[in-house]
Amino acid sequence: MATELYDLTAPVFTRGLKALSAILDKAVAHAEETGADAESYLALRLAPDMHPLSKQVQIACDGSKLCVARLSGVDAPVNEDSETTIVELQARIASTLDFIGSVPRDAIDGQEERDVVLKFPGGEWPFKGQGYVVGFALPNVFFHLSTAYGLLRQAGVPIGKRDFLGVPG
Amino acid sequence: MATELYDLTAPVFTRGLKALSAILDKAVAHAEETGADAESYLALRLAPDMHPLSKQVQIACDGSKLCVARLSGVDAPVNEDSETTIVELQARIASTLDFIGSVPRDAIDGQEERDVVLKFPGGEWPFKGQGYVVGFALPNVFFHLSTAYGLLRQAGVPIGKRDFLGVPG
């Protein structure tokens, strides 16, 4: 039967982003319980030259959004990365989920051989659709979801692996 | 065309574990350059109740090994999780790569509907093969690969996203 490209992307990103949203809710609750400033979590970084939590959330959203857009050919909404609060980041996640949900399965299934060329400051990374999903989009989104989770674990937010994995659907 | 289950698992884990091995080599080189004790990295944790780097490597190996074993029905080698040095962890990664490489494609392709039941202290998590790969095995392995990377970034090892992603193949 094999796995259709839609099943490898849209529902996987949706589950991951919903899990991220729930984790951010737990972070807010933890801050309230401990008297911490939840917004201060957004500046946390694992290393001085790594992105802070706010950017990890933005990249997790963009990685998901752009994968769905590149495979389907549907234009993705433009985001300015201007979010500075958890409420704004939750809205960013919600709008990303809306976009993913708006793209129909038949726009993604069958795009395994579609050319997807990623452009970096140092050059280009040419993929076909399938290799892009398996070799870049999924690892990249999971990287940023994991890093966001790790930052909040490091800040003491009581979350566990089940929070990261989300609810299988 | 869709994606065969083998292409979703064995080569993805292989690339991730090879990237992890190369990252550990860079950690050793960084320790030598800075006069640090590379073995001390193995005790690093993002939070007191998270696993240390050594265990992150072991779980990344086990998650990969067990996925291939559960889908194929081929018995996986047993590991005692007794590694205490980077050299031993590199051998663990190498033996995991050998096992993954020993399982033929036709033992994994077509196993999308195979029952895979994960047992936890709190109960069971029943999956079919495809849902297990997409909803558990891939996120879980990427989580531990990302966490290992994050711990070494936090320790100052000069690595970047390309080191995490490895070489698409």
Side-chain angles (χ1 to χ4, degrees):
Chain A
M1 52 178 283
T3 302
E4 297 293 345
L5 209 51
Y6 186 83
D7 296 312
L8 262 184
T9 54
V12 179
F13 298 138
T14 295
R15 183 167 60 243
L17 292 174
K18 284 184 175 174
L20 178 61
S21 174
I23 285 170
L24 289 172
D25 282 341
K26 288 197 175 186
V28 170
H30 179 71
E32 286 175 359
E33 286 169 18
T34 59
D37 173 12
E39 306 302 342
S40 71
Y41 296 148
L42 299 181
L44 295 173
R45 304 170 191 260
L46 289 182
D49 58 348
M50 282 184 81
H51 292 303
L53 176 60
S54 55
K55 190 76 181 171
Q56 300 294 341
V57 174
Q58 290 164 343
I59 301 177
C61 288
D62 262 7
S64 304
K65 174 186 83 173
L66 292 173
C67 178
V68 166
R70 286 169 177 146
L71 293 174
S72 66
V74 177
D75 285 340
V78 174
N79 295 97
E80 301 294 341
D81 287 351
S82 56
E83 296 87 0
T84 60
T85 67
I86 292 177
V87 167
E88 289 171 349
L89 287 168
Q90 291 283 23
R92 171 75 173 266
I93 294 171
S95 75
T96 304
L97 289 169
D98 285 345
F99 170 70
I100 295 171
S102 75
V103 175
R105 166 182 286 277
D106 64 7
I108 294 179
D109 281 354
Q111 300 299 318
E112 284 85 355
E113 291 295 317
R114 187 184 188 111
D115 286 316
V116 175
V117 180
L118 303 188
K119 290 173 182 166
F120 296 99
E124 294 189 343
W125 206 345
F127 288 100
K128 296 295 184 184
Q130 185 186 68
Y132 162 63
V133 170
V134 174
F136 185 88
L138 290 175
N140 190 51
V141 169
F142 284 128
F143 175 89
H144 293 287
L145 294 173
S146 299
T147 304
Y149 171 98
L151 284 165
L152 289 170
R153 274 292 291 272
Q154 192 155 69
V157 176
I159 46 180
K161 178 68 76 64
R162 285 258 184 159
D163 296 296
F164 169 78
L165 290 172
V167 179
Chain B
M1 52 179 281
T3 303
E4 297 293 346
L5 209 50
Y6 185 84
D7 296 313
L8 263 183
T9 54
V12 180
F13 298 138
T14 295
R15 183 167 60 243
L17 292 175
K18 284 184 176 176
L20 177 61
S21 173
I23 285 169
L24 289 173
D25 282 341
K26 288 196 175 185
V28 170
H30 178 71
E32 285 175 1
E33 285 168 18
T34 59
D37 173 12
E39 307 300 343
S40 70
Y41 297 148
L42 299 182
L44 295 172
R45 303 169 191 259
L46 290 182
D49 58 349
M50 283 184 79
H51 292 303
L53 176 60
S54 55
K55 190 77 181 172
Q56 301 293 343
V57 174
Q58 289 164 343
I59 300 176
C61 288
D62 261 7
S64 304
K65 174 186 85 175
L66 292 172
C67 178
V68 166
R70 286 169 177 147
L71 293 173
S72 66
V74 177
D75 286 339
V78 174
N79 294 98
E80 302 294 342
D81 287 349
S82 55
E83 295 87 0
T84 59
T85 66
I86 293 177
V87 166
E88 288 170 349
L89 288 168
Q90 290 282 24
R92 171 74 172 267
I93 294 171
S95 75
T96 303
L97 290 169
D98 284 346
F99 170 70
I100 295 171
S102 76
V103 175
R105 166 182 285 276
D106 65 6
I108 293 180
D109 281 353
Q111 300 299 317
E112 284 85 356
E113 291 295 318
R114 187 184 188 114
D115 286 316
V116 175
V117 180
L118 302 189
K119 290 174 183 167
F120 295 100
E124 292 188 345
W125 207 345
F127 288 100
K128 297 293 184 185
Q130 185 186 69
Y132 162 64
V133 169
V134 173
F136 184 89
L138 289 175
N140 191 52
V141 169
F142 284 127
F143 175 89
H144 294 286
L145 294 173
S146 298
T147 304
Y149 172 97
L151 284 165
L152 289 170
R153 274 295 288 274
Q154 193 156 67
V157 176
I159 46 181
K161 177 69 76 62
R162 286 257 183 159
D163 295 296
F164 169 78
L165 290 171
V167 178

